[in-house]
Amino acid sequence: MFSDEIIREIDDIIARYPVPRSGLIPFLHVIQREQGWISPEAQTWAAERVGISPAEVAGVVTFYTMFNTRPVGRYLLQLCRTISCKLRGSREIRNHLEQALSIKPGETSADGLFTMMEVECLGACGTAPAMMINEDYHENLTTERVDEILAACRRDAGTEVER
Amino acid sequence: MSAFEPVLTRIVGIENSHTLSVYEGQGGYQALRRGFQLDPDTVIEHVKNSNLRGRGGAGFPTGVKWGFLPSQEQSPGPRYLVCNADESEPGTFKDRVILRHNPHLLIEGCLLSCWALRANHCFIFIRGEYASEAKIVERAIAEAREAGYLGRNVLGSGFDIEVTVHRSGGAYICGEETALLECLEGKRGYPRIRPPFPAVVGLYGRPTVINNVETLACVPSIIERGGEWFTSLGPENNTGPKLYAVSGHVERPGTYELPMGIPLAELIEEHCGGIWRGRKLKAVMPGGSSTPVLTAEEALAVNMDYDSLAKAGSMFGSAAVIVMDETVDMVQVAFNLIRFYHHESCGQCTPCREGCGWLEKIMKRYTEGRGSAGDAALVLDICDNIAFKTICPLGDAARMPLEALITKYRAEFDARIAPSTFAGGGGGR
């Protein structure tokens, strides 16, 4: 399911803890980075790796909001909707994203590039409004800035396809 | 008070302040050398004398917390230090500055605290979304290891310290220290019933101390300059340098390091450039989204410390100041906050799980102008049924701001009552 290199990375994480299960949540991030979500197969694999049942892993995966339980677009846009971002115009950013991508929160664009979600506080309240794209923060958002970011994503995706 | 010099953010702004060479060049790791020449109990004495109060929100004296740890004779075997970097309280982004720009200060604080507590393993628990901050801290740990500050036989003391970054998965509840421990053990973040407290039965059932990032980052300067210096910064019992995270409707939001106890008016007007767009202040949540809202009048009269804010009927919390201008609709604020808490309730306790859901539904009704005449009383009744009836404080964190909002801004809520149910009108009864 994973390359030797990824398995080494995961085993290194597990080895940092006195109890293997402690490595579970940190290495689920590695799985998601590689596959975009935590599939049922990946959950079973993870369970075996740390010696617990797949049901226990499913319990963890569904508890923590960062773990995707279904596939998402190449770029996962997570826009903060909580108080400080709300005060600084996150709703306007959401409307703009909905229009630019023709999707509602929770949906994926027709080209499969973008999934948009509204999330709770990202802890970037002083640079609101803020969103995450995959693991990167984008802050002090304006509609113009959002357009630039989306264009950059499309460019990057385009070059990768051509390669 | 003489001019205040930043302590926690002194080197922030210097290029590559996150690297070991810059940190050492600015006098970094000298406190660690000094601390390791002292007996661990003497280090604890210094922290007790400083009266340092936990910066995560509760304001509990750090030295007292450390004192709850049983002695090694009473409890032989491993013990742990956990740094709480799960910065998730809406409005709070102060620890991020330390994680990004001064990670070695945090690491030095962790190492000194490990020495004091005789803990050989420290976990830095970072919220999952702070992926880049986690990487920065991991790189800093690798540098410190290379330099001999951590790992085996730290500074020739014979004492070993491991520091591990643990990246969480995105759950506000894990900022609560026992939920945090569950997450660290690879489980769902369900808070534990206390007692036993983590100091006695913590991570893997072992004695564990959990301190906030900013708390631990205060330790090196306390060891360097002494506890008395620390108590000289700010009003009695509320001292030390403090990070204020200001967000919302000010001209210059951001993190400001100032002494404890400064007037909130000074913070907003002088440091943050006042209310944006030339508007007027309407309200402030002074310590994060869980702290009861202050009206403009109350806010402009209060000082920013634990005791002053408690006296004003609110809380210092994490010093996350959320500023709202005159255009803000308090019904929308109430809905936004309760939606957050409903989303983040772990679901263990019925009053919180169900209560937050009901409250969200009522607030949603209000925002749509479909409130009922009895809703305000119903809200306060539900809040009363959550208050102090849950395993952890999340339920209280949810109901406290709501109670304050609906009490202080009642007219705004009443204005959203649907005409057909308005009992005070002509056709009501």
Side-chain angles (χ1 to χ4, degrees):
Chain A
M1 172 168 284
F2 300 105
S3 68
D4 290 350
E5 197 188 340
I6 298 301
I7 291 174
R8 248 197 321 277
E9 187 181 349
I10 288 172
D11 286 345
D12 278 351
I13 290 173
I14 295 171
R16 294 176 196 162
Y17 297 91
V19 175
R21 181 173 180 165
S22 282
L24 177 63
I25 290 158
F27 86 66
L28 286 174
H29 283 297
V30 176
I31 292 179
Q32 184 155 296
R33 187 193 70 208
E34 291 304 307
Q35 305 194 325
W37 66 304
I38 315 285
S39 66
E41 295 75 23
Q43 292 179 28
T44 303
W45 184 91
E48 276 170 22
R49 209 72 194 168
V50 295
I52 59 176
S53 74
E56 283 178 289
V57 174
V60 167
V61 168
T62 52
F63 185 84
Y64 295 94
T65 52
M66 289 185 78
F67 300 127
N68 304 319
T69 50
R70 58 194 172 87
V72 294
R74 176 190 298 241
Y75 299 103
L76 176 60
L77 278 49
Q78 301 191 75
L79 178 67
C80 178
R81 69 179 186 185
T82 319
I83 188 71
S84 300
C85 279
K86 166 89 176 167
L87 291 171
R88 302 284 297 203
S90 61
R91 187 59 204 236
E92 194 189 343
I93 301 296
R94 177 183 138 182
N95 293 344
H96 189 73
L97 281 170
E98 285 183 350
Q99 225 168 20
L101 302 172
S102 304
I103 51 175
K104 297 265 175 217
E107 294 176 353
T108 300
S109 61
D111 58 9
L113 272 188
F114 300 98
T115 299
M116 195 237 296
M117 281 161 56
E118 278 193 297
V119 294
E120 299 295 350
C121 187
L122 293 176
C125 324
T127 42
M131 71 170 164
M132 281 179 87
I133 300 184
N134 299 341
E135 291 198 337
D136 297 323
Y137 272 54
H138 297 265
E139 298 163 66
N140 291 311
L141 293 174
T142 59
T143 52
E144 295 78 25
R145 184 77 198 110
V146 166
D147 287 337
E148 287 166 19
I149 293 166
L150 294 181
C153 289
R154 289 200 170 99
R155 261 200 314 278
D156 284 355
T159 29
E160 270 183 44
V161 173
E162 281 163 32
R163 229 182 268 155
Chain B
M1 195 184 295
S2 58
F4 173 76
E5 281 174 33
V7 177
L8 307 171
T9 57
R10 184 171 59 86
I11 69 167
V12 174
I14 298 176
E15 201 180 347
N16 294 321
S17 63
H18 63 286
T19 60
L20 180 66
S21 58
V22 170
Y23 186 69
E24 280 182 323
Q26 294 289 323
Y29 287 110
Q30 291 305 319
L32 186 71
R33 292 178 189 281
R34 187 175 147 73
F36 268 73
Q37 286 164 2
L38 303 172
D39 180 73
D41 287 333
T42 310
V43 176
I44 294 180
E45 263 329 286
H46 280 299
V47 172
K48 278 190 177 156
N49 292 339
S50 75
N51 260 332
L52 168 62
R53 295 175 70 170
R55 304 304 200 219
F60 194 79
T62 305
V64 177
K65 197 178 203 181
W66 287 9
F68 292 150
L69 213 61
S71 71
Q72 273 177 319
E73 291 74 46
Q74 289 168 320
S75 181
R79 52 193 46 221
Y80 299 101
L81 172 68
V82 179
C83 168
N84 187 345
D86 192 58
E87 182 158 76
S88 306
E89 168 87 357
T92 314
F93 50 95
K94 65 186 179 72
D95 295 336
R96 191 175 176 215
V97 175
I98 296 176
L99 298 168
R100 284 190 85 80
H101 301 294
N102 208 355
H104 282 286
L105 178 69
L106 172 63
I107 293 166
E108 189 175 8
C110 290
L111 296 172
L112 277 165
S113 305
C114 277
W115 172 243
L117 300 166
R118 299 160 180 89
N120 297 107
H121 203 153
C122 169
F123 293 94
I124 299 179
F125 185 103
I126 297 192
R127 65 174 297 171
E129 292 86 348
Y130 282 180
S132 74
E133 287 76 7
K135 278 189 201 123
I136 291 168
V137 175
E138 277 184 336
R139 271 201 298 272
I141 290 170
E143 282 185 310
R145 185 189 308 280
E146 193 82 357
Y149 295 130
L150 64 91
R152 295 218 165 267
N153 189 20
V154 174
L155 299 173
S157 62
F159 192 73
D160 304 338
I161 308 177
E162 236 356 281
V163 181
T164 303
V165 170
H166 181 89
R167 207 179 138 208
S168 180
Y172 168 72
I173 189 60
C174 291
E176 193 281 330
E177 58 183 21
T178 59
L180 182 154
L181 295 177
E182 290 290 303
C183 177
L184 203 38
E185 293 181 2
K187 302 171 190 163
R188 290 161 77 92
Y190 283 159
R192 299 175 181 172
I193 293 174
R194 288 162 296 183
F197 288 91
V200 183
V201 182
L203 184 61
Y204 313 123
R206 301 295 311 161
T208 304
V209 165
I210 301 142
N211 288 135
N212 171 257
V213 170
E214 189 185 350
T215 309
L216 291 166
C218 285
V219 173
S221 59
I222 290 169
I223 299 310
E224 246 178 336
R225 307 195 206 182
E228 270 109 68
W229 159 78
F230 200 84
T231 59
S232 74
L233 302 170
E236 203 183 346
N237 261 329
N238 295 268
T239 63
K242 184 74 197 82
L243 297 177
Y244 298 91
V246 187
S247 65
H249 294 158
V250 289
E251 282 290 346
R252 291 190 298 274
T255 307
Y256 295 85
E257 184 179 354
L258 295 160
M260 193 90 85
I262 61 154
L264 179 52
E266 180 192 319
L267 179 64
I268 292 175
E269 275 151 31
E270 287 176 34
H271 298 283
C272 300
I275 307 302
W276 75 343
R277 298 177 178 175
R279 290 183 191 156
K280 286 203 196 76
L281 176 67
K282 177 169 185 177
V284 178
M285 303 187 83
S289 64
S290 308
T291 60
V293 68
L294 299 173
T295 63
E297 199 184 338
E298 290 166 335
L300 295 175
V302 81
N303 290 342
M304 290 296 290
D305 61 68
Y306 298 104
D307 296 343
S308 302
L309 278 160
K311 218 177 291 168
S314 188
M315 289 161 74
F316 191 49
S318 54
V321 180
I322 305 168
V323 180
M324 302 173 206
D325 75 18
E326 58 191 319
T327 67
V328 173
D329 172 0
M330 300 315 249
V331 175
Q332 286 288 349
V333 170
F335 170 64
N336 188 281
L337 293 177
I338 196 61
R339 183 178 62 180
F340 170 83
Y341 289 106
H342 182 214
H343 183 266
E344 299 300 330
S345 173
C346 81
Q348 268 195 119
C349 310
T350 310
C352 173
R353 182 188 63 238
E354 303 300 325
C356 288
W358 295 340
L359 291 168
E360 185 188 344
K361 278 184 193 157
I362 297 169
M363 289 304 148
K364 179 82 181 153
R365 273 207 305 262
Y366 271 125
T367 62
E368 293 164 350
R370 296 189 295 111
S372 310
D375 275 352
L378 181 58
V379 165
L380 294 175
D381 185 52
I382 295 171
C383 289
D384 185 53
N385 278 294
I386 296 173
F388 311 115
K389 293 172 188 72
T390 51
I391 292 173
C392 89
L394 190 144
D396 289 301
R399 58 105 193 155
M400 281 189 303
L402 226 55
E403 286 168 341
L405 282 164
I406 205 162
T407 306
K408 293 184 181 178
Y409 297 94
R410 178 66 182 268
E412 290 187 38
F413 289 83
D414 285 350
R416 309 298 178 84
I417 294 173
S420 60
T421 65
F422 182 60
R429 11 187 119 178

